[in-house]
Amino acid sequence: MKRLTLFFSSFIFFPLFLGATHNIAGNITVACVGPMTYEVTVTTYTNTASVADRCSLDVNWGDGFFTTADRLNGPTGSACPSATMGDITTMINAGYQNTKENIYKTTHTYSGASTYTISIIDPNRVAGIVNIPNSVNVPFYLQTVIIVDPIIGCNSTPILTSYPLDKACIGHCFWHNPGAVDPDNDSLSYDIGSCLDTNGLVIAGYLPISNWGYATIDHVTGDLSWCSPTVPGKFNLVIEISEWKRFPNGTRLKIGTVYRDMSIDVDAHCNNDNPDIPDLPDTCVVAGDTVNMNFTVTDPNNDQVKVIAYGGPFNVTPTATINPDNIFTQVPFNESFRWVTTCDRVRLQPWIVTFKATDNDPDVPLLDLESTSIIVVSPGPSFLTATPQGTSMTLNWGQNPCDPPTNHCKGYRIFRREGCNTWTHGPCETGVPSYTGYVLIGTVYGITTTTFVDDNGGAGLIPGVDYSYRVCGFFYDAAESFASPEACAELLRDVPVITNVDVVSTGASDTIFVKWENAIPDNVNFDTTIHPGMYRIELRRSQGFNYNAATANLIATFNDTFFTHLPTHYFDVNDNTVGTPYSYRLAFYAASGNDSIGSCQPASSVFLAAVPSDNRVSLSWQYNVPWANTEAAIYRQNLTNPLQWDSLGTAPGNSYVDDSLENGVQYCYYVDTHGSYNNPTLPLVDFNRSQRTCATPEDLTPPCAPVLVVNSDCFTAQNQLIWTDPDNMNCGTDDVVQYDIWYTPIEGGTLSLLTTLTLYSDTTIVFTNMMSVAGCYAITALDTFNNQSPYSNVICVDNCPNYELPNVFTPNGDGTNDFFIPFPYQYIKDVDVKIYDRWGALVYETTNPDVHWDGRDMKTGKLCTDGVYYYTAMVDEIHLSGIVPRELKGFVHLFGRDVGQFH
């Protein structure tokens, strides 16, 4: 094993001469052969005319270590002692007369988990590559990136089954596919990349092939198209083949990339046209079935055409076949593809098959390429049963028939819905889609675990409900099997089932009507022979939506010797339905109370809430019942006939808004919910009315916040505020009567009321002649009920302070420029100006922004002589953030002073 320093020392001097220019294309693939141990296969394609013939290459493993990869293939009698694979190096049969394939292998064990870039460098590339400047002097570099991590496991890169060499012609579309097959069934994606230098960066001056015709690649199938090359010559590009691992939790991780450096020879003239394979549809097949695909191959010039195919199905057992295969045949002819699938082929990722048709033109054979996807899916469990036991359901199913060795069936997902269902999966529809109404209720692990108890998460299932179940297997890569057949069953009807909790009246004598269906007396549900009379039903009630056994009151008891004589309803009177909902539950006893059969699922009354606002009342209702409510009818009391309740319609959910009402008028409502147990042996659940409740609409809704814009003109000292009228913003208000303008002089300060506009149509105001335009503004709107909107957006603007002093003045008493004063200034709070003579003596100071120095020494009162005087000025500028000091330094010339005239 060689370290990094040894590698660089061996390549300090690149022998850049024609005899060493031989590399055409290549790639590096990696196979995991043990814990943290990997075998690299470097495949290069070189020019047989070159004297360079590498018996080994140094592989950089990306962790500071290098190993020597020996060449394994011939020719026989090669000077390379490791070449034991025979004379298979030349590419004559593939149509490349002066090219040979070289295969090198070596292994390495990593010391820890990380991302590693494996690479090789070999001088040099062949000469004359159009899109690589001076390619004869560019070293040949290959790399592959892998992630070594115990979480990912022992992972191998894709295998590439097609040569990285191809031929094209000017003016004709070119197609290619690398034929990548992943041994671990991971997903693959494809991109077009650039050829790289020895640092793994794009070669200086490299140009993509898209500079000579539109080039793209199908990111899923890997089909590369170049339509069409515009100049002849040899071109190189990189196909990046990335590998993605999908984990059972659904996440996907990119775990490596093979960078395949490939070569395309573009010929200047072609007398033929591309052959044609028709578009091939993607398909789906159940494991164990056979894929048969037939299509007709044609050629516009009636050339003979041969078809080869590559992809995953040709690298597994049973192996896919095509007929005819790699034989030039007169067109048109029928090409057939056949693949016998097995359970070992089940996976989430499609199997890609690529068909390549090439004509027999002696100069430049042209081609067509078509890829198709084949998804192999697993049958699901062959049977499913559901057996009721108390308040739970025991499920049993047949073991999933497929368990691929590299993509094991990890377990099963269990789905449930209410109501029997006749759904049947589509031809390629695995799992249980959500549109069917089924909900995932559980997951079990292990292919041999084929039972599950559904007790509704410990809450128990509901007697009277038909429960429908489906089960599907799931695999390590997140693939799913087909769904099992349906199992539909209900719990034993050995206890009563509540069907109605209906608020009959609210107010003077509140009454709730409770109705139920008694148990079914037969030897399957409730066996009266095993459980003899006397029979008793106890009805209990508690406040609230959730029945509380500890606080429930016994409100009625029913006894009878004959089971069929037991009652099925009860009127519960003297309840306060205005203030609270009520929940009810029935307990069932036999043998004079000595045999407790069980209790039904509790059910609550419907409780209605009414919230008034501006010209509307918002209704919402709640309940907790064992059946499924599908809608509610809404009723409002007639204002002129209180005994009449008018229907307002129905709502599918649990809310409704009654609008266009008159403020100040009381409106009263109730709702009537409709539902079902989804069981044909039980009646529809209707007439479960809420209590009656009333509300009076009033305008408590503030206007929505205006939207403010501020146009500030700093130099003319004015701010224009413009805002939107909330009445025109479609936000439910139409009675704005006033706007309040809020202001703070500093950013982040507390907004204070600046002024008020009482004309609602006024949505602009201009502030002029301002001492400072700096500040922050906001607007609020008020309506006729004094509801105030939230603040609008707060907008802040700043000053543009300006203060400058002149560099000359002439205090000679002529009335012109007699004082040292600043130029016109603005947004200045105060200044501190000090003026010094040439010896540094202070002759004048002031805090007056106008300065107004007349040229006299402030201490002596004497007139200063002509000359240069220096000043410093600390200027306090008014900004949005507050007072900001700024220091000025400069000089001023005092000229033309006539001392005598100022005595």
Side-chain angles (χ1 to χ4, degrees):
M1 184 172 289
K2 296 184 285 187
R3 286 195 174 271
L4 186 61
T5 53
L6 294 177
F7 176 79
F8 281 132
S9 65
S10 66
F11 283 99
I12 289 293
F13 303 104
F14 285 114
L16 304 183
F17 52 86
L18 185 60
T21 61
H22 65 304
N23 283 288
I24 301 171
N27 50 255
I28 300 173
T29 57
V30 184
C32 180
V33 295
M36 310 292 284
T37 301
Y38 294 83
E39 179 185 68
V40 151
T41 299
V42 180
T43 306
T44 64
Y45 298 82
T46 56
N47 184 359
T48 56
S50 171
V51 298
D53 188 18
R54 309 280 186 238
C55 289
S56 63
L57 294 172
D58 286 329
V59 174
N60 180 350
W61 288 90
D63 60 350
F65 287 91
F66 294 76
T67 60
T68 298
D70 294 323
R71 197 175 80 197
L72 302 184
N73 59 339
T76 303
S78 168
C80 303
S82 59
T84 60
M85 295 175 60
D87 189 9
I88 60 171
T89 58
T90 61
M91 303 283 293
I92 294 175
N93 292 336
Y96 296 92
Q97 303 296 322
N98 300 316
T99 304
K100 62 180 179 178
E101 181 184 54
N102 311 284
I103 300 172
Y104 305 83
K105 288 185 182 288
T106 184
T107 59
H108 174 63
T109 299
Y110 286 104
S111 60
S114 186
T115 299
Y116 299 103
T117 299
I118 303 170
S119 61
I120 66 103
I121 300 174
D122 185 29
N124 278 356
R125 291 180 179 270
V126 294
I129 300 176
V130 175
N131 58 332
I132 298 179
N134 193 26
S135 63
V136 68
N137 287 324
V138 176
F140 185 62
Y141 174 87
L142 296 175
Q143 73 174 28
T144 286
V145 177
I146 65 171
I147 295 179
V148 176
D149 194 315
I151 296 177
I152 295 174
C154 193
N155 183 75
S156 301
T157 65
I159 302 166
L160 307 181
T161 61
S162 69
Y163 295 122
L165 310 167
D166 230 324
K167 298 180 179 180
C169 188
I170 290 177
H172 294 267
C173 283
F174 165 80
W175 292 278
H176 177 84
N177 188 291
V181 179
D182 190 82
D184 306 308
N185 293 328
D186 295 320
S187 298
L188 302 178
S189 65
Y190 302 84
D191 288 285
I192 299 176
S194 303
C195 295
L196 305 177
D197 63 16
T198 56
N199 295 312
L201 304 175
V202 178
I203 293 172
Y206 175 85
L207 294 174
I209 63 171
S210 57
N211 282 29
W212 295 274
Y214 179 73
T216 185
I217 195 167
D218 188 308
H219 299 296
V220 176
T221 66
D223 287 348
L224 169 71
S225 65
W226 187 13
C227 289
S228 297
T230 57
V231 298
K234 185 182 294 292
F235 293 83
N236 274 64
L237 72 150
V238 167
I239 298 180
E240 299 176 6
I241 306 157
S242 297
E243 186 180 5
W244 300 81
K245 179 78 72 179
R246 184 184 292 272
F247 295 93
N249 63 3
T251 60
R252 295 175 74 245
L253 175 67
K254 185 177 179 179
I255 58 174
T257 302
V258 175
Y259 293 77
R260 162 171 266 203
D261 194 311
M262 78 164 293
S263 174
I264 306 171
D265 288 335
V266 180
D267 198 273
H269 303 287
C270 298
N271 297 318
N272 58 327
D273 297 294
N274 299 79
D276 182 68
I277 300 174
D279 292 339
L280 301 177
D282 297 334
T283 188
C284 183
V285 63
V286 180
D289 289 349
T290 300
V291 181
N292 288 296
M293 188 179 301
N294 296 281
F295 55 90
T296 300
V297 179
T298 59
D299 185 273
N301 310 115
N302 290 319
D303 292 332
Q304 289 189 346
V305 176
K306 69 177 179 180
V307 176
I308 62 172
Y310 44 87
F314 297 94
N315 293 80
V316 296
T317 303
T319 301
T321 61
I322 62 168
N323 185 39
D325 181 13
N326 202 18
I327 299 173
F328 280 111
T329 305
Q330 187 61 49
V331 294
F333 64 88
N334 182 69
E335 188 74 34
S336 64
F337 167 84
R338 187 174 188 271
W339 184 33
V340 179
T341 65
T342 67
C343 277
D344 291 349
R345 308 287 83 86
V346 171
R347 67 183 193 184
L348 183 67
Q349 178 190 2
W351 295 84
I352 305 297
V353 178
T354 300
F355 299 95
K356 181 179 179 180
T358 308
D359 66 21
N360 65 341
D361 186 273
D363 296 322
V364 181
L366 296 181
L367 60 90
D368 189 19
L369 198 75
E370 289 291 339
S371 293
T372 184
S373 299
I374 303 172
I375 298 177
V376 181
V377 299
S378 169
S382 59
F383 69 88
L384 173 64
T385 62
T387 305
Q389 293 180 340
T391 58
S392 65
M393 200 77 71
T394 299
L395 307 178
N396 290 279
W397 58 87
Q399 182 173 308
N400 200 72
C402 288
D403 187 26
T406 59
N407 186 30
H408 286 292
C409 180
K410 296 197 67 177
Y412 304 91
R413 296 188 175 111
I414 299 94
F415 297 83
R416 181 188 70 208
R417 61 163 287 163
E418 293 184 7
C420 298
N421 186 264
T422 59
W423 168 76
T424 301
H425 63 77
C428 201
E429 190 174 34
T430 58
V432 182
S434 59
Y435 75 83
T436 62
Y438 286 92
V439 176
L440 179 68
I441 62 167
T443 301
V444 296
Y445 292 89
I447 191 172
T448 60
T449 305
T450 57
T451 186
F452 179 81
V453 176
D454 178 21
D455 62 356
N456 198 26
L461 297 173
I462 300 169
V465 175
D466 278 332
Y467 291 104
S468 176
Y469 295 91
R470 305 273 184 163
V471 174
C472 73
F474 67 97
F475 300 84
Y476 183 81
D477 72 344
E480 292 180 308
S481 75
F482 285 142
S484 70
E486 180 196 29
C488 193
E490 64 171 305
L491 298 181
L492 299 180
R493 290 275 297 279
D494 56 359
V495 294
V497 175
I498 295 179
T499 59
N500 292 85
V501 180
D502 178 34
V503 180
V504 177
S505 62
T506 301
S509 58
D510 293 8
T511 301
I512 297 178
F513 175 66
V514 183
K515 189 176 184 297
W516 61 88
E517 294 285 322
N518 279 325
I520 298 176
D522 57 32
N523 57 6
V524 174
N525 292 283
F526 177 67
D527 193 329
T528 57
T529 302
I530 299 175
H531 305 284
M534 159 104 39
Y535 301 103
R536 183 170 81 247
I537 291 177
E538 294 179 352
L539 177 62
R540 286 180 168 84
R541 178 192 68 211
S542 71
Q543 289 189 358
F545 294 110
N546 299 311
Y547 181 83
N548 188 334
T551 60
N553 297 317
L554 178 64
I555 60 172
T557 301
F558 311 98
N559 297 281
D560 205 290
T561 304
F562 298 99
F563 179 77
T564 55
H565 292 175
L566 288 170
T568 59
H569 66 271
Y570 178 76
F571 286 94
D572 185 19
V573 296
N574 298 321
D575 297 320
N576 176 20
T577 62
V578 174
T580 182
Y582 295 91
S583 295
Y584 296 86
R585 189 171 75 177
L586 294 158
F588 183 39
Y589 301 88
S592 299
N594 296 317
D595 185 3
S596 177
I597 308 302
S599 299
C600 71
Q601 287 285 338
S604 78
S605 61
V606 181
F607 193 78
L608 175 64
V611 178
S613 58
D614 186 16
N615 301 119
R616 65 178 59 195
V617 173
S618 297
L619 303 174
S620 61
W621 51 94
Q622 291 179 272
Y623 45 76
N624 187 2
V625 295
W627 58 86
N629 282 325
T630 56
E631 66 177 7
I634 299 94
Y635 294 88
R636 185 179 67 199
Q637 190 175 35
N638 190 284
L639 293 178
T640 58
N641 183 5
L643 298 179
Q644 177 179 325
W645 292 80
D646 301 323
S647 173
L648 301 181
T650 59
N654 289 66
S655 62
Y656 181 85
V657 175
D658 187 20
D659 53 13
S660 300
L661 303 178
E662 183 179 348
N663 286 341
V665 177
Q666 178 176 275
Y667 296 88
C668 298
Y669 303 86
Y670 75 85
V671 297
D672 180 9
T673 60
H674 305 156
S676 171
Y677 276 99
N678 293 304
N679 187 330
T681 67
L682 288 171
L684 293 176
V685 183
D686 288 328
F687 300 110
N688 284 312
R689 291 168 289 187
S690 71
Q691 89 286 6
R692 282 65 169 167
T693 190
C694 302
T696 302
E698 57 180 324
D699 188 357
L700 300 176
T701 304
C704 56
V707 178
L708 174 64
V709 174
V710 176
N711 298 316
S712 179
D713 191 330
C714 185
F715 297 101
T716 61
Q718 73 173 24
N719 286 335
Q720 180 191 44
L721 279 61
I722 304 173
W723 58 91
T724 56
D725 179 0
D727 287 353
N728 297 325
M729 295 173 64
N730 297 320
C731 56
T733 58
D734 58 2
D735 56 348
V736 171
V737 295
Q738 177 178 309
Y739 298 106
D740 289 343
I741 292 89
W742 302 82
Y743 170 77
T744 176
I746 59 173
E747 190 171 20
T750 301
L751 292 168
S752 300
L753 184 62
L754 180 63
T755 188
T756 295
L757 301 180
T758 56
L759 186 61
Y760 76 91
S761 59
D762 283 348
T763 56
T764 183
I765 188 172
V766 179
F767 298 101
T768 60
N769 300 319
M770 304 176 71
M771 294 297 296
S772 169
V773 298
C776 299
Y777 297 88
I779 307 292
T780 58
L782 277 76
D783 65 16
T784 53
F785 288 85
N786 283 326
N787 296 308
Q788 187 173 49
S789 76
Y791 285 117
S792 70
N793 52 311
V794 178
I795 293 185
C796 300
V797 296
D798 205 352
N799 285 320
C800 49
N802 181 37
Y803 191 85
E804 295 182 53
L805 292 167
N807 58 10
V808 64
F809 82 114
T810 57
N812 56 13
D814 64 356
T816 301
N817 202 26
D818 286 336
F819 294 93
F820 180 54
I821 59 176
F823 295 110
Y825 62 88
Q826 59 183 160
Y827 311 124
I828 303 300
K829 179 178 180 291
D830 48 42
V831 300
D832 183 5
V833 177
K834 292 180 173 60
I835 301 175
Y836 303 88
D837 63 17
R838 71 185 65 185
W839 297 279
L842 180 68
V843 297
Y844 184 76
E845 67 176 332
T846 182
T847 58
N848 181 2
D850 293 328
V851 183
H852 213 77
W853 181 40
D854 60 1
R856 294 177 181 273
D857 187 305
M858 67 177 183
K859 293 180 180 179
T860 65
K862 293 182 179 180
L863 303 169
C864 295
T865 61
D866 289 0
V868 177
Y869 293 82
Y870 300 90
Y871 65 81
T872 63
M874 189 62 68
V875 182
D876 288 334
E877 299 176 338
I878 303 172
H879 279 279
L880 180 63
S881 57
I883 302 302
V884 179
R886 179 170 65 93
E887 185 178 20
L888 296 179
K889 292 182 178 180
F891 60 87
V892 58
H893 289 269
L894 188 155
F895 287 123
R897 184 70 176 176
D898 184 353
V899 178
Q901 71 185 44
F902 287 95
H903 283 207

